[in-house]
Amino acid sequence: MDIGLIIALAILALLTLSFFGSALRHDGARNAMIWGLIFVGVTVVASEWDNVSRAFVPQQTTLVDGRIEVPKSRDNHFHLTLTINNTPVDFLVDTGASQMVLTLEDATRVGLNPDDLAFIQTAYTANGAVATAPVRLDTVSLGPIEDTRVRASVNSGSMEKSLLGMSYLSRFESIEIRQDRLILSR
C-alpha cells in the first residue's frame, strides 16, 4: 500500500474521531471538521484515481459478432491479456514489432527457464540492439481463440511489458483500427 494513502487514511480517521468527539458543541469546529473531511476524501480519491478509473474503462477484449474488439487505453495504446500455458500475460499491441516478444519475467512466469534459453538472435529496437532467444509457446489463447506451438522471442534486455507483434497478429484475417478500437477478425 502507498505510504501517502496510509497517511491520508490516518488523517481521515483522526478527523472523523475528532468530529464525533466534538459532536455538535461548536458550529465553527464542526464546519472545519466537515471541510477537513472533504479535503482528505478528495485527496484519497485523487491519489487512487488510476485504480478507481480502471474499474470504469474497459481494458480487455470483447467478442462481438465473431470479432475481438480492443478499446484504446488512456495511454493511447492497445493492450491485451493473452493466456500463455495457462498463465495470463499482459501485452502491448505493437504492429511495428515483427514478433511476439516476452520479457524475461513473463517468460519465467509461463514456464520457460531463462537458463535454458539460447540468446542467439539480435533485435534492433529504439533502445539499440538486444539479444533475443527464439521459443515456441505450447498454448496461446485470446478469448475463445487458441493457438498451439506459437513462435515467439524472449528479450534479454529491459522491457516494461511484453510486445504483441506481427508474428501473432498476422494469424488474424484482418486487423483494423476504427474509432479508438482495434478490431481483430479470424
Side-chain angles (χ1 to χ4, degrees):
M1 188 178 264
D2 184 3
I3 190 73
L5 179 60
I6 292 170
I7 291 170
L9 290 174
I11 291 171
L12 181 62
L14 286 172
L15 286 172
T16 303
L17 290 172
S18 297
F19 174 74
F20 288 117
S22 65
L24 299 173
R25 273 185 260 171
H26 306 287
D27 285 338
R30 182 184 55 142
N31 290 340
M33 290 294 176
I34 289 171
W35 281 109
L37 288 172
I38 290 170
F39 175 76
V40 171
V42 168
T43 303
V44 169
V45 169
S47 71
E48 287 298 307
W49 183 249
D50 284 340
N51 293 331
V52 171
S53 65
R54 277 191 207 114
F56 299 105
V57 177
Q59 296 293 319
Q60 187 56 328
T61 62
T62 55
L63 191 61
V64 179
D65 300 330
R67 300 177 306 178
I68 295 176
E69 293 188 12
V70 185
K72 187 183 288 186
S73 294
R74 291 180 353 173
D75 66 359
N76 248 1
H77 294 283
F78 296 104
H79 299 268
L80 283 167
T81 300
L82 278 68
T83 303
I84 299 176
N85 300 342
N86 297 317
T87 303
V89 177
D90 293 328
F91 283 89
L92 171 68
V93 176
D94 186 353
T95 58
S98 57
Q99 298 181 18
M100 176 190 286
V101 183
L102 297 173
T103 64
L104 274 171
E105 296 80 16
D106 286 341
T108 302
R109 289 181 46 244
V110 302
L112 300 173
N113 183 348
D115 295 333
D116 295 338
L117 299 176
F119 291 92
I120 57 173
Q121 296 177 335
T122 303
Y124 297 95
T125 71
N127 295 327
V130 295
T132 62
V135 296
R136 284 218 190 245
L137 305 171
D138 293 333
T139 60
V140 176
S141 300
L142 176 57
I145 299 169
E146 183 173 304
D147 295 299
T148 58
R149 308 260 315 132
V150 175
R151 289 179 191 228
S153 294
V154 176
N155 187 331
S156 65
S158 175
M159 291 175 43
E160 286 182 33
K161 194 176 235 186
S162 292
L163 300 177
L164 191 59
M166 292 307 296
S167 66
Y168 181 78
L169 295 171
S170 64
R171 293 171 174 264
F172 291 88
E173 185 178 310
S174 70
I175 304 167
E176 164 180 17
I177 298 174
R178 189 181 333 147
Q179 296 179 346
D180 291 339
R181 291 187 120 26
L182 173 67
I183 302 167
L184 304 172
S185 301
R186 265 222 187 161

